[in-house]
Amino acid sequence: MYVLCKQYRETIEYTRRALEIDEDYYLMWNAMGLAQLSAGFAKEAIPSLKRVVDLAPWFADGAWYLATAYHQAGEHERSQEWARRFAGLHSHTYGPAIYYAATGDADEMFESLSRAYRHRDVDLPFIQTQPLFDPWRIDPRFRSLLAKMNLA
């Protein structure tokens, strides 16, 4: 997977190709949006992540990623609106942690990561490669979580 190697442009290209086969596959739109977000293309990530929310309204992480993209694009009011809409819902997943990492709210981010860990969120190992977590890697709480997951 190119995204794990931080090869975001390649990930975007391959997800585009996959979407030519099935334009309604929400997980491909999600992969594209996250790759765009990780590459620093927040404005480009917004339509991709909107597509995720439209195709899979039950997939709360898509909404959290969309809130993150809005925040990264400087649309803070819209970002907060999405975050308020999903606060408390599916808060045991990786999505809220991404949002709080982007907004700089370390306490909420670590609480979200702890909930994701307790609920064994399958996306949690991606904290190793997600650039939004880069500022937090030196924090002892981050290192402790990696150690609990045997990733340290």
Side-chain angles (χ1 to χ4, degrees):
M1 290 177 61
Y2 286 107
V3 74
L4 295 177
C5 298
K6 297 188 176 191
Q7 295 179 340
Y8 304 118
R9 292 181 192 275
E10 291 84 352
T11 302
I12 293 166
E13 177 59 31
Y14 283 108
T15 54
R16 278 197 177 110
R17 289 182 190 175
L19 288 166
E20 288 174 7
I21 296 168
D22 183 356
E23 66 182 32
D24 292 331
Y25 189 33
Y26 78 95
L27 289 175
M28 275 301 116
W29 284 108
N30 189 64
M32 167 121 43
L34 281 176
Q36 291 166 322
L37 195 58
S38 297
F41 305 135
K43 288 191 184 292
E44 292 84 353
I46 291 171
S48 299
L49 295 168
K50 278 184 180 177
R51 185 82 167 134
V52 173
V53 171
D54 290 343
L55 289 171
W58 66 89
F59 183 62
D61 279 356
W64 282 106
Y65 301 152
L66 180 57
T68 303
Y70 278 127
H71 181 81
Q72 294 292 92
E75 297 185 41
H76 296 169
E77 187 174 310
R78 196 171 270 176
S79 170
Q80 292 169 353
E81 175 186 320
W82 277 96
R84 278 191 302 271
R85 187 182 303 177
F86 282 86
L89 298 174
H90 304 285
S91 61
H92 61 278
T93 64
Y94 176 74
I98 291 282
Y99 173 77
Y100 293 120
T103 63
D105 190 338
D107 291 335
E108 284 295 327
M109 181 196 69
F110 283 113
E111 181 57 37
S112 295
L113 288 171
S114 292
R115 282 192 303 269
Y117 174 76
R118 286 191 306 272
H119 286 86
R120 293 183 168 89
D121 188 325
V122 298
D123 291 329
L124 195 54
F126 292 121
I127 65 172
Q128 292 183 287
T129 58
Q130 175 50 253
L132 288 170
F133 292 118
D134 287 351
W136 314 108
R137 294 188 194 288
I138 61 170
D139 190 297
R141 295 173 287 182
F142 195 87
R143 291 181 181 173
S144 173
L145 178 61
L146 289 178
K148 283 196 274 187
M149 295 180 350
N150 292 319
L151 296 173

